[in-house]
Amino acid sequence: MSDAIIFEEKQYLGYNKFSLMRRLVLAIFCFLVYFFSERLPNIKHQTIDLMFILGIAILVISVVLVFVLHIHTKIENGSLVLDGLWTARKVKVDLSSIKSVKKINYSKYLLNRPVYNLHRRGKIKFFTRGNEAVELTDKDGLKYVIGSQKSDELVEKLESKIQKIT
């Protein structure tokens, strides 16, 4: 039973609002240039066709990114494990060193970029999308901010696991 996964969540890159909006604006720009090309007499026909192909390519990339795993969060064996497809390292946080767990708002901004293992101002951030996050503080005062779509469940599972350990 100690090897059982208590909590598991997968977050995908294609759902991040900031990245999605950026790709959609670029695709719309390409399509607008293509559709209003007859009003632009100095642009060659090959360039116009290229803009249409580029717009389609951007949309295809957006669809593919919906299936690209960014963060895989698990609680298992007394540790919080953060892993992903493109990450260089698996991050493992020992729950016996955690002194507090709380649910917070991730950021005051509407659009946030996805981050993995970003060390900044005494915090280590993991985020893909959404507004909610879980903040863990360890005994050394280091804070882990983990974005989650299931933050209430993650806080509940972390608190229960920490109480069992201590």
Side-chain angles (χ1 to χ4, degrees):
M1 184 73 183
S2 66
D3 289 45
I5 295 174
I6 298 171
F7 174 84
E8 185 171 23
E9 178 184 18
K10 294 180 181 179
Q11 296 183 40
Y12 297 89
L13 275 177
Y15 292 110
N16 179 267
K17 287 183 209 173
F18 181 69
S19 302
L20 182 63
M21 291 299 291
R22 189 172 45 197
R23 288 189 307 271
L24 288 178
V25 165
L26 283 172
I28 289 170
F29 172 75
C30 291
F31 290 132
L32 286 175
V33 169
Y34 175 77
F35 288 117
F36 294 110
S37 62
E38 65 269 357
R39 294 183 185 171
L40 304 170
N42 296 335
I43 298 179
K44 295 181 181 180
H45 185 66
Q46 296 163 341
T47 305
I48 307 275
D49 292 342
L50 183 64
M51 293 303 274
F52 182 75
I53 292 169
L54 188 61
I56 295 293
I58 291 170
L59 291 178
V60 168
I61 289 169
S62 293
V63 170
V64 169
L65 284 175
V66 169
F67 301 103
V68 175
L69 181 66
H70 184 236
I71 299 175
H72 186 189
T73 307
K74 295 185 282 189
I75 300 174
E76 62 180 353
N77 299 331
S79 298
L80 176 67
V81 180
L82 299 155
D83 195 11
L85 180 65
W86 291 342
T87 56
R89 288 187 219 174
K90 182 185 289 190
V91 176
K92 200 171 194 181
V93 179
D94 186 23
L95 294 180
S96 63
S97 68
I98 301 299
K99 78 175 179 184
S100 72
V101 177
K102 65 180 176 179
K103 179 181 162 184
I104 61 169
N105 287 330
Y106 179 76
S107 173
K108 61 184 176 185
Y109 303 112
L110 180 64
L111 300 174
N112 296 298
R113 64 187 172 101
V115 293
Y116 183 87
N117 204 6
L118 175 68
H119 294 252
R120 191 171 203 187
R121 297 183 188 135
K123 292 182 181 180
I124 302 175
K125 293 185 177 187
F126 303 87
F127 178 77
T128 302
R129 69 179 180 124
N131 298 327
E132 298 176 346
V134 175
E135 184 178 78
L136 307 172
T137 307
D138 68 5
K139 293 175 182 171
D140 298 329
L142 186 62
K143 294 183 179 188
Y144 297 89
V145 178
I146 303 161
S148 176
Q149 299 300 303
K150 305 174 185 176
S151 59
D152 292 326
E153 182 182 352
L154 180 57
V155 168
E156 176 187 324
K157 300 289 183 179
L158 283 169
E159 286 175 343
S160 68
K161 189 66 177 177
I162 290 169
Q163 285 177 355
K164 286 181 185 177
I165 292 173
T166 58

